[in-house]
Amino acid sequence: MKRVLIATEKPFAPAATKQIAGILTNAGYEVRLLEKYASKAELLEAVKDVQAIIVRSDVVDREVLNAANALKVVVRAGSGFDTIDVAACKEHGVVVMNTPGQNSNAVAELAIGFMVFMARGNYKGVAGTELKGKTLGIYGCGYIGRRVAKIAQCFGMKVIALDPCITKIGMDTYDIVVADSVNEIFEKSDYVSLHIPSNPSTKKSINFELMSKMPKGATIVNTARKEVIDEEGLKKMLEERPDFKYVTDIAPDCHADLDGKFGFRYYATPKKQGAETAEANVNAGIAAAEQIVAYLEKGDQTFKVTA
Ligand code: 3PG
C-alpha cells in the first residue's frame, strides 16, 4: 500500500484535511498526518517510508530527503516552493510539484485588504485616503498578481504591472498596462504589491534605491516573501521618508526594530496568513492530493517545478 504524509507545521483547515484524506483513501493509499510539529526530528521520522508528501511552507531539504527512503513525489500545496530544495529532490529522483492558482484569491484579497487598512490609518479612526484613482503597481503578475489587478480595478485603481515571464500580449486580456521596467513600476505607483518569488535573482532586490523612487505617500504591500526586501533599505526608507508605508504578511527579521516605531506606517501580521482561508486550503489540498494520485498512478507531471 502506498503511503502519503501530510506534513504541515501550519495545518490545513479541518475540512481540507478531510477532503485530502478522502481522495487518497479512495485511491487505496494510507494517509498519515503530521501537524504542528515542533521539531525537525519529528518530520525526519515521519517521512521514513512514505512515497509522497504534501507540504505547505515546510522545509524539505537534503536531510529530509536522506531520511525519506521511499519518496517519489513532494507536492507543495500552494505556490512558492522556495522552502523545497528542488535540485536535491532531482538528485534523489523525487518529483516536486506545486498547485498554482489554488490559493491565489485568498492572498489577493489580503493584499487589497492591506491597502485599505493602510489607507485608513490601521482602522484607528483617523481621516484616511481612498484607493479609487490611485495607481497600483503589481510586481510579479502570475495568478495572484492578476487577481489583485482585477479586484483593484473594481476599486477604480489604475493598474500597471511587470512580470518577467508574461508578455504584453498575455496581459492585454486583463486590461493591465505593462511597465517597461521595474523602475517604472516604483516611480509611477502609489501602491506597489509584490508577487515575485524568492530566488537568487529577487532576494533583497527591493532595495532603498528602488523604494525611494516611489511618489509621496506611497505604500508597499508584501504578501510575497520577506527575503525579497532589503531590510536595511526598508529601515532607511521608513526613517527618511515620513510619508512612506510598508505592510507585510511576512515580518522582516528586523521586525522588532520597526514595530511601534513608525505608527500607522508599518504593519506586519503576527503569522503569515495570506493563504489561510478554508477555501484556499481546500482548493490547494484537493489539487495536491489529486496530483499525487495522477503522478503515482499515471506518471502525470503536469505541475512539476524545476530549480
Ligand atoms: C504560497 O506560496 O502558496 C503562499 O505563500 C502560502 O503559503 P502557506 O501555505 O505556507 O500559507
Side-chain angles (χ1 to χ4, degrees):
M1 184 187 259
K2 288 171 187 138
R3 292 167 292 275
V4 181
L5 174 70
I6 304 171
T8 48
E9 184 274 318
K10 187 171 63 180
F12 290 116
T17 311
K18 199 174 163 197
Q19 291 186 62
I20 295 167
I23 292 165
L24 297 170
T25 309
N26 281 345
Y29 301 173
E30 180 188 326
V31 180
R32 296 183 184 170
L33 197 56
L34 178 70
E35 291 182 328
K36 293 185 186 170
Y37 53 95
S39 72
K40 193 170 184 184
E42 289 176 67
L43 179 62
L44 296 178
E45 179 62 29
V47 298
K48 265 184 183 164
D49 60 350
V50 298
Q51 282 77 22
I53 312 175
I54 296 175
V55 289
R56 294 186 64 180
S57 289
D58 306 78
V59 173
V60 179
D61 58 12
R62 279 183 195 278
E63 203 182 350
V64 173
L65 294 165
N66 288 336
N69 300 313
L71 192 61
K72 302 241 173 309
V73 58
V74 176
V75 181
R76 195 287 190 236
S79 150
F81 48 89
D82 47 306
T83 44
I84 300 176
D85 189 335
V86 180
C89 285
K90 192 176 176 193
E91 284 169 30
H92 281 77
V94 173
V95 167
V96 182
M97 299 181 195
N98 66 353
T99 62
Q102 299 295 346
N103 60 17
S104 51
N105 184 64
V107 181
E109 287 188 10
L110 186 74
I112 295 284
F114 272 164
M115 290 178 216
V116 178
F117 178 69
M118 296 307 272
R120 296 301 186 92
N122 300 181
Y123 306 145
K124 293 284 197 309
V126 294
T129 54
E130 299 179 17
L131 300 187
K132 186 178 175 189
K134 305 296 186 302
T135 298
L136 167 65
I138 295 185
Y139 186 28
C141 210
Y143 287 97
I144 301 168
R146 280 177 270 163
R147 184 71 192 139
V148 172
K150 195 165 175 124
I151 303 171
Q153 285 163 341
C154 296
F155 273 74
M157 299 184 90
K158 284 175 268 180
V159 179
I160 63 169
L162 188 72
D163 189 297
C165 308
I166 298 172
T167 64
K168 190 163 174 39
I169 294 159
M171 302 280 246
D172 282 346
T173 336
Y174 296 92
D175 196 20
I176 297 171
V177 175
V178 180
D180 289 326
S181 65
V182 185
N183 284 350
E184 188 187 345
I185 291 269
F186 282 77
E187 277 160 12
K188 289 190 173 162
S189 302
D190 303 296
Y191 293 82
V192 167
S193 194
L194 301 174
H195 302 291
I196 48 175
S198 170
N199 60 39
S201 65
T202 61
K203 276 184 182 161
K204 294 191 179 201
S205 64
I206 311 302
N207 53 27
F208 180 76
E209 197 196 339
L210 203 52
M211 289 187 254
S212 60
K213 293 183 189 302
M214 293 186 80
K216 198 162 187 300
T219 303
I220 291 182
V221 178
N222 186 4
T223 55
R225 291 291 183 268
K226 70 175 180 184
E227 290 82 2
V228 303
I229 298 287
D230 174 45
E231 296 195 8
E232 283 310 309
L234 174 64
K235 265 197 238 177
K236 192 172 171 197
M237 190 68 187
L238 283 161
E239 273 157 10
E240 293 187 6
R241 284 267 307 261
D243 60 292
F244 172 75
K245 304 184 191 99
Y246 182 74
V247 57
T248 183
D249 189 29
I250 329 94
D253 292 335
C254 65
H255 173 71
D257 297 345
L258 307 180
D259 196 31
K261 200 171 162 192
F262 300 102
F264 303 154
R265 297 194 292 120
Y266 170 81
Y267 179 80
T269 50
K271 185 155 181 156
K272 191 169 92 166
Q273 62 180 62
E276 281 295 80
T277 66
E279 294 89 336
N281 284 181
V282 167
N283 293 342
I286 288 177
E290 286 175 345
Q291 287 171 215
I292 284 174
V293 176
Y295 177 63
L296 293 180
E297 301 307 316
K298 296 182 272 181
D300 184 344
Q301 299 190 16
T302 305
F303 296 101
K304 179 178 171 179
V305 298
T306 50

